[in-house]
Amino acid sequence: MPKVHQINHPLLAHSLTILRNRNSDTECFRRHTAIVSQIMIMEATREISIDERLIQTPLTEHRGAEIHRSLIFVPVLRAGISMLFPARDFLPWASVGFIGLERDDNTAIAREYYQKFPGDLDKKRVLVLDPMLATGGSLADTITALIDKGARSITAICIVAAPEGLSYLQDKYPQVDIFVAAIDSHLNDQKYIVPGLGDFGDRYFGT
Ligand code: PRP
Ligand code: URA
């Protein structure tokens, strides 16, 4: 799967295990979501453009680097909000677009209920934030909406993915890079990821 990038890091493996553990409480789940998200954002922005920046250290002149301000975060409501705060801590100037999608409990098909994107999607790199990629329907709908509004460079960051969803995305949008912390075994009959971590939104928001 050439466009799927699985990130390996001991800190990620540790925090992901805590997220998977059904006994982790909301506070713990939130803390480790932030750690996982920051490691993933570090990796997904490894190729980000930088400009040269001439500064004075206390001792001398120095040619340093400054990140080119050309990123947009798009968290998929509601669970994607959990990854926005850690992303914003690293890149506080990035603009943010929103899409709200909710899977139907019976069909697992996502319904869109909200959308607001910045106007300059065509000029920037878009980082979609959604912790779970199960059937791939929500991410595909998000990418479709972004492309319809002019986005040309899209990367997705998902914490846990199912092979079924990754294959679906790869067929539909082979140009999109997807960064994941884990590729799990399969989807169950209710289209939940196995072993997974359950319903991410419910666990993060305590609902
Ligand atoms: C979850 C998750 C993804 C979606 C993944 O959201 O955050 O958006 O499911 O499933 P899919 O790949 O099969 O589309 P959910 O619909 O549960 O809504 P929530 O974020 O409000 O909890
Ligand atoms: N959404 C979740 O939150 N968890 C899953 O396993 C699948 C979709």
Side-chain angles (χ1 to χ4, degrees), residues 103 132 134 191-193 198-200:
R103 292 200 325 173
M132 305 303 275
K191 307 294 182 199
Y192 273 82
I193 302 171
D199 187 304
F200 190 99

